[in-house]
Amino acid sequence: MEPPAVTLNTPLTPVGSASPTTVVGAARGGARGGRGNRGRGDPVRRAHGRGVGRGRGASNKPSPQSKLPRYGFHCTLENHKQPVTSLKFSPDGLWLASASADKTIAIWNTETWIRAQVLTGHSKGISDIEWARPTSGLTGLHLVSASDDKTVIIWDITLSEVSHKTLLGHKSYVSCVTWGDHVIISGGYDSKVIVWSPEGKVLKIESEAHTGPISAVKISEDNKTFFTTSYDGTCKMWCGETYQVLKTLMASSYPATSITFASHKSHMLLIANLDSTLRLYDTTAEEPIKREFRGHTNTQYTIGGRLISASEEKFLIHASEDGCFYQWVGSTPCSKVLAHEGDVVLCLEVSPRINHVVTSSLRGHNIKVWMAQPPLISQPLPAAGQSSTSMN
């Protein structure tokens, strides 16, 4: 594989203020798309649409909805030539990485929304990306990516150049990847879960835990456990030290497609199934299901969401296949935003201070940026090694 080519538009340092207008990158490219019943499938995700829908309280009494941040359209980021398949903010919120079915990763400055770099190195579409944690002990910016070319790439991004290391071990598409303090974990369509050292050494290969493609993998904030979901309908809980399965948290007839932790609380996680239901689990409880969330549409694709703490309120925000993203306080959706009219919202990510939401869609090639109105800052970002307030 040839070394990655880097297009450097601006120095990788935050400057200026966010532009209120559409931002157009010099290059275009798309990202991966939904994989339908295959899971993440061939990279195909795009963004296109307009309009904002907002719920309103029915009385003078504050309603749950009145406590939610309200997101309005801010700008469009154009860079990819195929749909955008993964969106991730850096831990400090200064950078946004977007991965695409066009085989590239774009790095965006979140103060100017100008593209800073383009990373190339994969030979097929990219399915997932993840930033290294501040607690990993690494200096500078580091990113890991998973691709349909059966590889995982570790990226070391500096101000002037980019280096990368390609990891080989999967026999089919690599659909998901996560980065803890001391390990990187990937999952693929070969049903394998591979644990890597940050240097790229294989620490563990497990091919028997799931009977279907791996759809998502996440490491807990304390690194003591990690979780995998699969299109076999299960979620497995693993030991972060021995890399052995501790228990099956969930078994469903519907594919399980994504995992989200509740504001860094390691034993509370949200799992999405392709029955248009989100389930909040307490992994320490005898009856693990604590709450179910419905109202959105999710029967075909792996789509994203977040559990968030803001202004002492806990709420859920999640993408939907009807072109909207929804917000919940409690178990009932209180608000929705029409983000990509006539399309499917496949990627959704929330900035660490929740001032911004970014989305992409199934048939579009761009990214939409949504800003909290008025601008909202949540609880202070945790310092390295600390946790923020969690959702109970």
Side-chain angles (χ1 to χ4, degrees), residues 1 55 64 84 129 133 169 179 229 233 238 252 259 321 331 343 358 382:
M1 182 178 295
V84 174
I129 49 176
R133 296 179 178 181
W179 199 328
T229 56
W238 303 67
S252 170
I259 307 168
E321 292 170 9
S331 298
D343 209 339
V358 289

Side-chain angles (χ1 to χ4, degrees), residues 63-389:
S63 66
Q65 181 182 348
S66 67
K67 302 174 184 178
L68 294 173
R70 297 168 180 262
Y71 292 100
F73 176 75
H74 180 58
C75 64
T76 298
L77 311 181
E78 295 186 358
N79 172 80
H80 291 290
K81 296 176 182 175
Q82 294 184 39
V84 174
T85 57
S86 186
L87 293 165
K88 297 290 173 65
F89 283 98
S90 61
D92 59 11
L94 296 178
W95 308 103
L96 171 69
S98 60
S100 169
D102 67 6
K103 304 176 282 190
T104 70
I105 300 169
I107 309 296
W108 305 86
N109 182 313
T110 62
E111 292 193 2
T112 63
W113 296 110
I114 293 174
R115 190 192 65 189
Q117 288 184 332
V118 174
L119 314 180
T120 62
H122 283 294
S123 61
K124 291 187 178 180
I126 301 166
S127 292
D128 197 16
I129 49 176
E130 186 79 19
W131 293 92
R133 296 179 178 181
T135 50
S136 64
L138 300 172
T139 57
L141 294 173
H142 294 78
L143 193 70
V144 65
S145 57
S147 171
D148 280 4
D149 64 11
K150 307 177 186 178
T151 71
V152 173
I153 291 184
I154 301 172
W155 306 88
D156 183 355
I157 307 170
T158 67
L159 295 179
S160 58
E161 62 182 16
V162 171
S163 62
H164 84 311
K165 180 178 291 186
T166 300
L167 312 184
L168 303 174
H170 286 282
K171 302 302 182 184
S172 186
Y173 309 128
V174 189
S175 51
C176 52
V177 67
T178 188
W179 199 328
D181 284 359
H182 309 296
V183 296
I184 293 167
I185 305 174
S186 60
Y189 267 72
D190 52 9
S191 301
K192 286 183 179 179
V193 175
I194 302 182
V195 183
W196 315 81
S197 72
E199 296 74 35
K201 179 182 178 181
V202 174
L203 303 178
K204 169 80 172 182
I205 298 179
E206 176 57 64
S207 58
E208 297 181 356
H210 290 284
T211 59
I214 311 299
S215 55
V217 57
K218 292 292 181 185
I219 303 175
S220 64
E221 189 72 11
D222 60 10
N223 297 282
K224 292 181 180 179
T225 55
F226 67 92
F227 298 83
T228 54
T229 56
S230 169
Y231 267 65
D232 64 12
T234 66
C235 175
K236 305 282 185 177
M237 179 177 176
W238 303 67
C239 176
E241 295 182 357
T242 64
Y243 316 130
Q244 300 294 322
V245 174
L246 298 175
K247 64 179 178 180
T248 298
L249 183 64
M250 177 199 70
S252 170
S253 58
Y254 293 93
T257 58
S258 68
I259 307 168
T260 303
F261 284 106
S263 299
H264 307 293
K265 198 164 187 177
S266 297
H267 68 279
M268 300 289 290
L269 66 157
L270 187 79
I271 299 174
N273 291 85
L274 293 186
D275 60 350
S276 299
T277 304
L278 304 165
R279 294 173 175 87
L280 183 64
Y281 287 83
D282 181 347
T283 61
T284 64
E286 291 185 11
E287 297 292 335
I289 297 181
K290 307 300 291 183
R291 181 175 292 176
E292 294 186 344
F293 303 87
R294 295 185 177 90
H296 67 305
T297 302
N298 185 199
T299 60
Q300 298 184 68
Y301 302 102
T302 299
I303 58 180
R306 285 290 179 268
L307 285 161
I308 301 169
S309 248
S311 304
E312 299 184 355
E313 291 295 327
K314 282 79 174 176
F315 69 94
L316 166 65
I317 183 169
H318 207 277
S320 178
E321 292 170 9
D322 61 4
C324 300
F325 61 83
Y326 287 74
Q327 293 173 272
W328 289 257
V329 173
S331 298
T332 303
C334 297
S335 177
K336 71 176 181 178
V337 172
L338 179 56
H340 300 275
E341 188 173 9
D343 209 339
V344 173
V345 181
L346 286 176
C347 288
L348 180 146
E349 183 70 1
V350 183
S351 64
R353 294 187 183 275
I354 71 171
N355 272 18
H356 296 98
V357 168
V358 289
T359 59
S360 67
S361 71
L362 178 64
R363 290 182 290 276
H365 297 173
N366 57 23
I367 301 159
K368 288 193 174 184
V369 180
W370 308 85
M371 179 178 283
Q373 301 175 333
L376 172 69
I377 296 180
S378 66
Q379 300 161 1
L381 292 175
Q386 296 180 339
S387 298
S388 63
T389 303

